[in-house]
Amino acid sequence: MATPGMEDYLEQIYLHIERSGLARASDIADSLDVLPSSVTKMVQRLDREGYVYYERYKGIELTEKGLNFGRKLVKRHDILEEFLRIIGVEEEKIYEDVEGIEHHLSWNAIDRITNLVEVLEQNPAFAEHLKMHKKQ
């Protein structure tokens, strides 16, 4: 089972690979605002856990397990952003709020929020109703 820290690294590795086709320790360090040595330690751990292939100076590659989990982590992040947006959370607070809650929800809770987002997207009038009732 991945820890919240492992999840953060995997999510960033996945995003970098999706954007540019590769992930380097320096890129991940910049994204997470950590030292490259911290990235190296975590990537070695992710390698031992079967999420990535890591060879010094050659970049980071996701295994099938890492690719699938990375995709799931990005989807979780996106669905939580969309949920907060739909219910009227101020745009400038959404990213920080998602970062604060995403590791504290079970996958079952994420599935239920996904269902709710789907319903709210199919019922925009109700979503607008929610936004109008938020306290200023």
Side-chain angles (χ1 to χ4, degrees), residues 10-93:
L10 278 169
E11 185 176 4
Q12 286 305 310
I13 292 166
Y14 178 87
L15 289 170
H16 279 280
I17 291 172
E18 283 293 301
R19 282 187 213 125
S20 62
L22 69 125
R24 298 179 307 222
S26 59
D27 297 328
I28 306 307
D30 288 344
S31 295
L32 294 173
D33 197 26
V34 297
L35 295 172
S37 59
S38 297
V39 175
T40 300
K41 286 179 188 174
M42 180 58 81
V43 169
Q44 288 169 339
R45 179 175 179 189
L46 292 170
D47 185 272
R48 286 190 306 273
E49 298 282 333
Y51 292 102
V52 302
Y53 298 115
Y54 176 67
E55 239 182 282
R56 265 180 95 155
Y57 310 114
K58 293 202 178 188
I60 306 160
E61 294 180 40
L62 290 168
T63 63
E64 191 67 29
K65 176 181 175 180
L67 181 65
N68 291 334
F69 196 51
R71 188 178 299 119
K72 187 175 179 178
L73 293 169
V74 169
K75 185 177 178 185
R76 174 182 71 185
H77 188 100
D78 292 347
I79 201 73
L80 289 171
E81 277 191 7
E82 187 59 23
F83 174 66
L84 295 179
R85 192 169 285 116
I86 287 172
I87 63 171
V89 172
E90 295 169 9
E91 193 65 35
E92 60 274 4
K93 298 197 183 290

Side-chain angles (χ1 to χ4, degrees), residues 77 81 84 91-101:
H77 188 100
E81 277 191 7
L84 295 179
E91 193 65 35
E92 60 274 4
K93 298 197 183 290
I94 289 175
Y95 183 82
E96 184 179 324
D97 285 347
V98 169
E99 288 298 310
I101 64 174

